[in-house]
Amino acid sequence: MSGTDSQRRAAVLGSPIAHSLSPVLHRAAYEELGLGDWSYDRFDVDEEALPGFFGQLGPEWAGLSLTMPLKRAVIPLLDEVSETAASVEAVNTVVFTADGRRVGDNTDIPGMVAALRERGIEQVDSAAILGAGATASSALAALARICTGEVVAYVRSAERAAEMREWGERLDVEVRIQDWAEAAQALHAPLVIATTPAGTTDALATAIPERPATLFDVLYDPWPTELAARWSAYAGSVVSGLDLLVHQAVLQVEQMTGRTPAPLDAMRKAGEHALAAH
């Protein structure tokens, strides 16, 4: 990518998109890095509109962040997809190279690993995942890098169970499936990753063990979740969805701008300020 910072553009795409914190994080990075001519916007784009959006992008575009429902839909529009993104069939980052190629990557997975590492979690011998959606597959891919033993996934349906088993085979992770009715057992694991929508884990807050280990709750608004708040009250370690959001955005900024390291602290403070104001 060119080293010039003149009139470069980036944006986050998705639908709905009004809630996205990505503009706050990326603009904070540009300010800290002195990239005064860089802009970062948000566009409400669904799967149907995505090819047309790509078709009208000019050479000033450096990259895109993608959220739901575009992470899989974008893949046919790309010239290259990283091994990490291909492993979960999900692209959240597109970088436009100097020669006009569109390269897709997934920074959610290394972002999860980095967020855990920041809290001193380099390796675990087992883990539990609450939920089985798209975020759960990214969590499995992250655990493929740091978990040496079994991952237990707590799911609500046979269809979700089959999907998690399939992801486990693809990612070479030993996955055992448990029914959601047994989800309280998950809280005894060395690492618990909660990937479910807001409110889903509230009922589990009363089942936290006396000495919980680490909870990674991918939600950030509202925060803290009932589970995260009670986990902290029991002196357990908590990694938040904002931690994930910031770490994956750091990697996006570095890929799109070519500047390293991206300003993690400034980006996190901007995100915290925006959430507090909201």
Side-chain angles (χ1 to χ4, degrees), residues 31-271:
E31 184 175 354
E32 193 75 11
L33 292 169
L35 300 175
D37 290 329
W38 281 66
S39 66
Y40 190 100
D41 303 297
R42 61 163 69 88
F43 295 95
D44 196 302
V45 177
D46 61 15
E47 292 158 287
E48 189 179 345
L50 187 61
F53 186 92
F54 261 75
Q56 50 87 41
L57 297 179
E60 74 277 12
W61 282 87
L64 297 169
S65 308
L66 300 169
T67 185
M68 299 306 291
L70 305 178
K71 292 184 179 184
R72 183 171 293 181
V74 74
I75 292 175
L77 304 175
L78 303 176
D79 299 304
E80 181 184 333
V81 175
S82 73
E83 190 176 326
T84 301
S87 74
V88 290
E89 293 179 10
V91 166
N92 78 329
T93 308
V94 177
V95 174
F96 301 102
T97 66
D99 59 359
R101 296 171 69 252
R102 305 163 172 177
V103 180
D105 194 14
N106 185 309
T107 63
D108 286 331
I109 295 163
M112 280 188 178
V113 174
L116 286 165
R117 186 178 295 127
E118 188 178 33
R119 302 303 170 87
I121 309 298
E122 299 273 353
Q123 190 176 82
V124 290
D125 56 15
S126 64
I129 296 177
L130 297 171
T135 307
S137 62
S138 290
L140 262 185
L143 289 171
R145 302 183 179 194
I146 67 166
C147 184
T148 59
E150 180 183 68
V151 176
V152 185
Y154 293 81
V155 305
R156 290 186 182 277
S157 70
E159 182 185 3
R160 292 298 201 188
E163 287 175 6
M164 287 300 279
R165 285 194 190 93
E166 185 180 330
W167 284 118
E169 289 173 10
R170 287 188 55 169
L171 295 162
D172 198 24
V173 179
E174 183 186 348
V175 178
R176 178 161 58 89
I177 304 298
Q178 288 281 85
D179 189 86
W180 183 263
E182 310 296 325
Q185 296 176 9
L187 309 186
H188 295 269
L191 171 61
V192 182
I193 305 181
T195 70
T196 51
T200 308
T201 61
D202 288 0
L204 298 176
T206 57
I208 296 171
E210 195 173 306
R211 292 181 180 172
T214 299
L215 170 68
F216 192 157
D217 195 324
V218 303
L219 296 172
Y220 61 84
D221 187 21
W223 185 263
T225 61
E226 185 74 19
L227 185 63
R230 289 287 284 271
W231 199 275
S232 294
Y234 280 91
S237 178
V238 174
V239 185
S240 76
L242 182 61
D243 294 321
L244 168 59
L245 197 65
V246 171
H247 276 283
Q248 65 83 27
V250 159
L251 296 168
Q252 289 186 333
V253 168
E254 291 175 352
Q255 289 191 30
M256 292 178 193
T257 68
R259 301 281 290 273
T260 56
L264 173 69
D265 291 342
M267 294 169 71
R268 193 197 310 273
K269 284 175 186 168

